[in-house]
Structure formats: structure tokens, C-alpha cells
Amino acid sequence: MGIYRQNERQNEINDTLFKKDDVYITNNYSLIDIGNRITTFDSDDSIDYANVLQQNESNKYFRFVMKVSDYINKPMYKADIYSVIAKDKSNEILLDISSKKPVPTDYASNILDRGYNCVSFDIGLKDRDICDILVRTDKLYITMDITSIFNVIFTVMFTIKLDGEKISSPNVNDEDAQKYNNLRRFRNILLFLKL
């Protein structure tokens, strides 16, 4: 049944594509769809400082988690990150953090048996809080290398529009917020990805 559903979904995707090359790409390479939520929280003491996307003299570290809502086609093997740029509504740059070498992310499928996948990475900032930046952010530009299970690598830039902070109801027992310090969630919409 799962194979049948994937084939059905792939045919729906193929019908929206104009060129034969586009059909080939979506059939054989790993292009992911960033879901509707980005979560941040303070990184713990076990942070791997060699694998952090960070500013010079960073003294605050945050985990940045993107929910992968759906595979457009074949599953990915891994993802590495190059940069995160945040801009406000007037196009002013609030954050521009990048690395010449790709920084590995943690990729987890079926995270905590909840039925979805996540890509996460750590960010190091100097005297700033990532949440203060995201509250003012209109669009995020995230550049990553996506490696498919067939060992084909695509460098993609995601353009993500943030749609405000998601506030949990006081009547809801939020186990994640109790477990992680300074956990905050932001609603988002993936506008497009550029290869």
C-alpha cells in the first residue's frame, strides 16, 4: 500500500512539472520540504563546538530544529548547512552567519516516534539570543547541502517566511518545554527552494 501511495503521489508531482529534466530530478534526488514549524532552545553542555555554525567569539549556543514535513521524493541520507540569514520586513539583515566548510546537521527520522523527521543544528552567537532575532524576522534564507540515499548532493537555498511565534495554551502540558531550556516555536511557510 505504501509503494502504491508513493507512486500515486509521484504521478501528482510529475503532472505539475514542465520539463522532462524536472521529472527526472524529483524522481531520483532528495529534495525535502521544510514543514510548518521551527523550534529553538538553549544548547546543553554536550555541544560539539567543532560542528557549530557560529559567529566569532560566540558565547551563547542554541539548537535550531526544522521539521521536515514531507519528502518530495527519495529520502535523504544527510544534510550539511552553510549559512543562515535573517531579514526583517524592510529587508534589513538581522543575522548573517555562515561557514566556508559545510557544518553537519543532525538528521532524525520519525523523531521520538511522532511520525515526522527533523533536521537540527547548533548556532553560536555573540551576546545575542536567537529567539529575539526570530521574533523580528520576516524571512530566513538557509543554504544546505542535501545528500540523497543515492549519494547525490544538491546545494539548495530555502527561503522561509516566518509567521510569528506559536504560543502554547496555558492549559496544555508541554513536555518539550519542560525538558528544554528556553524552548520557543515559530510558525513558518516554505516559499521556495533554489538549486
Side-chain angles (χ1 to χ4, degrees):
M1 185 63 188
I3 293 169
Y4 170 79
R5 181 65 190 117
Q6 171 59 32
N7 185 53
E8 192 178 66
R9 173 119 170 81
Q10 189 61 58
N11 287 334
E12 291 169 12
I13 294 167
N14 289 349
D15 288 343
T16 66
L17 301 172
F18 298 107
K19 296 185 296 191
K20 215 171 186 179
D21 289 349
D22 292 338
V23 175
Y24 179 81
I25 287 169
T26 59
N27 274 333
N28 294 285
Y29 300 115
S30 185
L31 302 177
I32 58 173
D33 180 16
I34 299 303
N36 58 5
R37 189 173 71 222
I38 289 173
T39 303
T40 63
F41 53 87
D42 296 350
S43 284
D44 59 21
D45 295 334
S46 64
I47 188 168
D48 179 4
Y49 292 101
N51 290 313
V52 176
L53 190 64
Q54 61 185 318
Q55 297 175 323
N56 289 336
E57 301 177 24
S58 294
N59 56 7
K60 291 187 174 184
Y61 296 90
F62 307 92
R63 175 70 43 97
F64 196 101
V65 183
M66 296 186 295
K67 182 176 168 185
V68 178
S69 63
D70 194 12
Y71 287 110
I72 298 171
N73 43 65
K74 308 295 184 189
M76 72 177 185
Y77 169 63
K78 67 172 186 165
D80 301 308
I81 189 156
Y82 285 97
S83 69
V84 175
I85 298 169
K87 293 184 179 181
D88 65 12
K89 288 189 180 196
S90 64
N91 219 26
E92 180 184 339
I93 295 174
L94 304 173
L95 175 69
D96 186 349
I97 187 168
S98 60
S99 172
K100 289 181 182 172
K101 294 190 316 184
V103 175
T105 67
D106 287 330
Y107 168 68
S109 60
N110 193 19
I111 188 81
L112 299 176
D113 294 322
R114 294 178 184 177
Y116 56 81
N117 311 310
C118 285
V119 173
S120 63
F121 54 93
D122 292 317
I123 288 183
L125 301 179
K126 185 176 186 323
D127 300 326
R128 299 174 76 192
D129 189 308
I130 189 65
C131 296
D132 294 340
I133 294 167
L134 293 180
V135 164
R136 298 171 46 214
T137 297
D138 180 50
K139 287 182 187 157
L140 281 171
Y141 302 87
I142 298 176
T143 304
M144 303 178 78
D145 274 351
I146 307 292
T147 305
S148 79
I149 57 172
F150 303 109
N151 205 30
V152 176
I153 302 172
F154 263 117
T155 300
V156 296
M157 184 173 74
F158 295 96
T159 300
I160 301 165
K161 181 169 176 59
L162 291 191
D163 191 27
E165 186 170 2
K166 182 180 177 185
I167 307 295
S168 294
S169 165
N171 300 326
V172 173
N173 183 18
D174 190 338
E175 292 179 14
D176 288 341
Q178 293 171 11
K179 185 175 178 182
Y180 301 103
N181 289 334
N182 195 24
L183 184 142
R184 300 192 39 198
R185 298 179 179 97
F186 298 86
R187 294 182 297 269
N188 64 272
I189 307 160
L190 175 62
L191 295 180
F192 57 85
L193 60 87
K194 180 175 155 187
L195 302 175

